[in-house]
Amino acid sequence: MAERRQRLAAAEVKRLSVLASARLAEVPPFAGAAAGATIAGFVAIDAKGEADPAAALAAARLRGAVVVYPRIAATDGKAPRLRFHRADSAGDLVPGPYGVRQPAPSCPELPLERIDVMLMPGLAFDLTGRRLGLGGGYYDEATAWLRRSAGGARAVLIGFGFDVQIVPRCPAGGGDAVVDWVVTDQRATRCGGAP
């Protein structure tokens, strides 16, 4: 799957990312994120040909949403390794592990339970919401923590990628997070019991 995505030319990645961002902007939980709602985005890894949600996140910020990005942190095992920090401009992002740009340590961290909508990258998705990540378990850990700690509130998880990443049945395991929506350049699919 990674090879399929990496075969896309840079111009095609940009074109498909614009289309995927436009579809994302129409998904009710994302489009309806009111002023003050917190949306967890991510910074696409260019070298891996990831779908880039930057346009949709910029539009959400203009609507008044708080946009946070993941930062990998050391942990004692009692908290997830992904922490989410507010980053309002490209200047707030610095190089991090695995070639990922992440918020600088000085960017304010928001508690995980404040997240209303979380965008999740992945290698593959199926239309039942199963997602295969990159193998580190970072998002699986964070979403499990989020759903346990949110006091009954339910953040909406949105898998974001390209349509070439959709497979009939994703080879996800029992510990892999299941997303509520899958959004690509060609479709926005509500999965299972998604809000």
Side-chain angles (χ1 to χ4, degrees):
M1 189 55 62
E3 291 173 12
R4 194 185 293 182
R5 190 177 64 185
Q6 286 177 321
R7 276 188 251 144
L8 296 171
E12 186 69 352
V13 167
K14 283 186 179 183
R15 185 183 78 77
L16 296 176
S17 291
V18 168
L19 293 172
S21 282
R23 289 204 189 280
L24 177 60
E26 297 172 354
V27 170
F30 189 89
T38 302
I39 297 174
F42 65 89
V43 179
I45 304 173
D46 290 338
K48 295 190 183 241
E50 279 188 334
D52 188 353
L57 294 170
R61 190 178 291 111
L62 288 175
R63 286 194 322 267
V66 174
V67 178
V68 295
Y69 295 90
R71 177 174 175 74
I72 297 173
T75 183
D76 56 7
K78 296 179 184 172
R81 295 169 289 166
L82 279 189
R83 307 293 173 79
F84 290 84
H85 296 253
R86 186 172 183 155
D88 295 323
S89 72
D92 291 336
L93 301 171
V94 298
Y98 313 111
V100 177
R101 294 186 55 76
Q102 63 181 16
S106 59
C107 292
E109 181 178 349
L110 272 72
L112 198 56
E113 58 270 12
R114 286 223 9 227
I115 294 172
D116 299 299
V117 176
M118 181 183 286
L119 301 185
M120 299 173 65
L123 279 180
F125 304 93
D126 68 26
L127 299 181
T128 67
R130 291 166 55 95
R131 169 191 166 270
L132 182 64
L134 296 175
Y138 291 94
Y139 277 94
D140 302 317
E141 185 181 273
T143 56
W145 178 275
L146 174 62
R147 291 207 162 149
R148 275 195 314 268
S149 68
R154 181 175 156 93
V156 177
L157 307 180
I158 300 176
F160 186 79
F162 298 129
D163 217 63
V164 299
Q165 295 172 256
I166 301 295
V167 295
R169 178 143 174 85
C170 191
D176 291 321
V178 176
V179 297
D180 302 306
W181 288 80
V182 174
V183 177
T184 73
D185 49 288
Q186 294 183 26
R187 63 183 104 190
T189 304
R190 185 177 174 181
C191 307

